[in-house]
Amino acid sequence: MAKWTPKHEAPEPLEGPVVATIVGGTIIWFVLFLVQVPFYSWFADRDLTWWVWTCLAGGGLGLIGIWYVRGRDAALKRAAAAQAAEPVVPEDRPGPTGV
């Protein structure tokens, strides 16, 4: 079996409003949970209570995701600030010859 080799380089990862995206998704999960709670008996009669608990689990995992991406975002900003604060070291250039 031949080894698979890529034909082109992978693209750079997309950066965007990651924290806002995760917060928005978490809010949607919690809203879905709250909308379904009044109809819990309807879901229970049809053995579909997992729908309700899936929304709650999505909201809970979203809270963990918010914590994670906020830490990642802060670490990226700290790294960028540290890199910007580093003094630029000029390259070694040979001195004038024959002096």
Side-chain angles (χ1 to χ4, degrees), residues 14-41:
L14 297 175
E15 289 295 332
V18 180
V19 175
T21 302
I22 301 300
V23 168
T26 303
I27 290 170
I28 289 171
W29 279 116
F30 277 124
V31 166
L32 288 172
F33 172 72
L34 293 174
V35 166
Q36 290 178 356
V37 167
F39 303 103
Y40 187 81
S41 62

Side-chain angles (χ1 to χ4, degrees), residues 74-86:
L76 289 173
K77 287 179 181 176
R78 279 193 309 269
Q83 188 175 13
E86 267 183 21

Side-chain angles (χ1 to χ4, degrees), residues 1-5:
M1 176 166 267
K3 184 178 178 182
W4 180 82
T5 56

